[in-house]
Amino acid sequence: MSRVAGLLLLALAVAVPSTAAPPQWLRAVVAAQRGNLSGAAVVLQDEIDVTATADGRVRTVRRYAIRLNDREGRTAARIREVYIAGSGRVTDLRGWLIRASGGARDFDGDRALDVAMVDNDVYNEVRVRVLDASSEIQAGDVFGAEMESEERLLFAQLGWPLQERWPVSLARRRLTLPSGWTARSVTF
């Protein structure tokens, strides 16, 4: 095979979207389609599990799924995680697009962007990792994502919004603490 043909095949292999099967939790969310919430997009599930260790490290796993009802809701088809460079990192970020027609597409972590949270601040170490499917999602499609991060707990507090812009069918938050630790909830 000529070198040009080999490069062309390699380019085609890179350009073809992955079709890895969505995980079981996402297939179950799609099958259940909880609620008849109206809106341009509906959050079908937003689940966050946080586990703290005695040495002050925190591991967070988030599972997020939305159904797009209208083009105006496309921005809901993205997940992001904010972290501080040097004390935290996103260890895994994957996403899937399940078409209303039945097909599926995989968004691996290589497609995620890692950018400065504030772009005009020289000394700011706050970063954000984003996986965005808003340009590819169509009405009736479901976008799901799973994110895992770890960080050193700099401040002993967590902020957990239960709903942002879109109506939510299921929001779940879970906190696991080491023996001897306690948690206190404050609602704003």
Side-chain angles (χ1 to χ4, degrees):
M1 176 177 347
S2 74
R3 182 176 178 181
V4 174
L7 289 175
L8 181 60
L9 284 175
L10 178 62
L12 288 174
V14 171
V16 174
S18 173
T19 57
Q24 178 55 38
W25 70 266
L26 183 55
R27 290 193 308 264
V29 166
V30 171
Q33 291 282 311
R34 290 184 280 282
N36 279 333
L37 297 174
S38 62
V42 174
V43 177
L44 300 174
Q45 178 176 319
D46 187 5
E47 183 173 355
I48 300 175
D49 290 322
V50 175
T51 303
T53 60
D55 67 352
R57 301 223 35 98
V58 174
R59 178 179 172 265
T60 302
V61 175
R62 182 176 183 197
R63 291 179 171 159
Y64 174 76
I66 66 103
R67 182 185 65 237
L68 183 71
N69 294 330
D70 186 288
R71 286 184 52 84
E72 293 176 23
R74 291 184 324 183
T75 59
R78 75 173 54 124
I79 186 171
R80 66 187 202 124
E81 177 69 4
V82 177
Y83 67 96
I84 299 174
S87 66
R89 66 188 180 111
V90 175
T91 57
D92 193 21
L93 182 55
R94 294 168 297 185
W96 301 269
L97 190 59
I98 300 175
R99 299 279 183 201
S101 62
R105 172 147 196 271
D106 177 37
F107 293 92
D108 60 14
D110 294 340
R111 190 176 159 115
L113 297 175
D114 196 311
V115 296
M117 182 77 168
V118 179
D119 62 357
N120 63 352
D121 191 349
V122 176
Y123 300 106
N124 195 325
E125 295 295 320
V126 179
R127 311 238 355 128
V128 62
R129 187 111 186 245
V130 181
L131 184 61
D132 187 346
S134 62
S135 64
E136 297 184 40
I137 193 166
Q138 306 280 330
D141 293 352
V142 172
F143 169 74
E146 189 168 82
M147 180 277 310
E148 186 173 325
S149 67
E150 57 185 37
E151 65 182 318
R152 180 159 307 284
L153 195 59
L154 299 176
F155 306 101
Q157 67 183 32
L158 300 168
W160 280 346
L162 297 175
Q163 180 176 352
E164 293 180 16
R165 182 174 178 187
W166 312 110
V168 176
S169 182
L170 173 68
R172 184 179 297 141
R173 307 297 188 251
R174 192 170 309 137
L175 176 62
T176 305
L177 298 174
S179 178
W181 286 34
T182 59
R184 183 174 60 113
S185 172
V186 177
T187 304
F188 291 104

